Amino acid sequence: MPADTDTAPAAVVPARRTAPPWVLMYHSVAEFTDPAEDPYGITVTPRALEAQLLWLRSRGLRGVSVGELLRARAAGRGAGLVALTFDDGYTDFLTHALPLLRRHDCSATLFVLPGRLGVDNVWDPLGPRKSLLTAEGIREVAAAGQEIGSHGLLHQDLTAATDDVLRQELNGSRDLLRELTGTLPDGFCYPYGHLDARVVAATRAAGYGYACAIDPGRLAGPHALPRTHVSQADGGFRLRAKRLRHRVRELRRAVHR
Ligand SMILES: [Zn+2]
């Protein structure tokens, strides 16, 4: 045991906490005119997405995948990055979102359902029906440099799943995505944002490096990242308010931890 004078100083508390990671949540990018056509509020038009990307860029922010954001933060290079996520794996990611992301030098994470390739969002009873990417489409997204994460196999509420089903949704989807893209996915996204301590522990045990939630409360952490839902109505003013709300919430969480 070295003398006190030889030991390293006690852990230094940074004078200023780094800003918490900001992760935005999208689903579908498609044309629509009447909000009644989008009862779950999961669609933004290409025009709205482009305005939102321009707003981010005007604030000195660049949208990247969650994996890239977390790696950059770990290396102390996270300033100016915000993560963009698209849930469910709709075909309109390829046709509408990807060209805009490229135009504005951004990238994203797409959370897909390898148990529902090439079908549609049957879990949303009110519709509208939106087509999901095929295996080929997912490979195309991956080849375009976007991160592919798992959203499970079938879009089930995992808090209601048996242990066997939970394992299948987590491990089975991860294995299928590796077969499909050649890369083991590092990220998971909880369907409906539903999670509990058992689901979070199983996700970590399945080997995922991170997982996205929506508002995970006390479970917040690398396997329950809070996200900000971005809607068609979000212009610069509302995005600014959402960014502030996120910062306040995360700082409060850090204080209570
Ligand atoms: Zn979903």
Side-chain angles (χ1 to χ4, degrees):
M1 188 82 179
D4 273 2
T5 47
D6 293 328
T7 55
V12 176
V13 179
R16 185 172 163 273
R17 291 186 65 88
T18 52
W22 197 29
V23 184
L24 304 187
M25 175 176 68
Y26 289 94
H27 289 76
S28 168
V29 182
E31 298 292 353
F32 73 105
T33 47
D34 184 350
E37 295 171 52
D38 185 41
Y40 298 99
I42 60 167
T43 311
V44 299
T45 60
R47 194 178 165 158
L49 175 63
E50 178 149 47
Q52 289 158 355
L53 294 175
L54 282 168
W55 179 83
L56 290 175
R57 301 304 263 146
S58 75
R59 315 289 300 184
L61 295 168
R62 190 165 74 87
V64 295
S65 68
V66 183
E68 184 175 342
L69 175 69
L70 296 179
R71 283 190 300 277
R73 285 173 62 87
R77 295 182 286 101
L81 298 182
V82 50
L84 304 179
T85 62
F86 291 77
D87 289 12
D88 304 335
Y90 296 110
T91 53
D92 59 38
F93 182 83
L94 260 181
T95 52
H96 291 77
L98 189 57
L100 293 173
L101 292 171
R102 284 181 151 160
R103 184 180 301 165
H104 297 286
D105 191 27
C106 292
S107 65
T109 302
L110 186 69
F111 291 111
V112 301
L113 296 153
R116 293 203 186 275
L117 298 174
V119 290
D120 64 30
N121 55 335
V122 67
W123 62 88
D124 283 337
L126 298 178
R129 299 275 70 92
K130 289 174 176 286
S131 58
L132 296 165
L133 290 166
T134 60
E136 191 46 46
I138 292 173
R139 275 193 284 269
E140 209 177 313
V141 171
Q146 312 302 302
E147 180 183 28
I148 301 293
S150 172
H151 201 24
L153 288 171
L154 299 173
H155 210 283
Q156 304 197 61
D157 174 358
L158 298 181
T159 62
T162 64
D163 287 348
D164 278 351
V165 169
L166 178 59
R167 208 172 302 118
Q168 192 53 29
E169 287 283 327
L170 292 166
N171 301 58
S173 65
R174 195 161 191 242
D175 292 343
L176 275 175
L177 287 177
R178 174 170 51 188
E179 276 173 36
L180 213 146
T181 65
T183 304
L184 200 55
D186 195 39
F188 188 80
C189 173
Y190 302 107
Y192 309 102
H194 291 178
L195 76 170
D196 56 23
R198 179 188 68 123
V199 169
V200 171
T203 304
R204 195 182 298 117
Y208 290 100
Y210 74 86
C212 284
I214 299 173
D215 189 3
R218 289 175 173 277
L219 292 171
H223 289 84
L225 295 169
R227 290 186 295 169
T228 299
H229 173 243
V230 183
S231 78
Q232 174 69 11
D234 289 336
F237 181 77
R238 286 175 54 120
L239 283 173
R240 192 160 162 249
K242 285 188 171 187
R243 188 184 186 198
L244 270 173
R245 191 173 62 191
H246 164 76
R247 287 186 150 184
V248 168
R249 217 182 251 176
E250 292 309 299
L251 289 171
R252 197 179 294 151
R253 224 193 296 269
V255 167
H256 289 292
R257 196 164 277 156

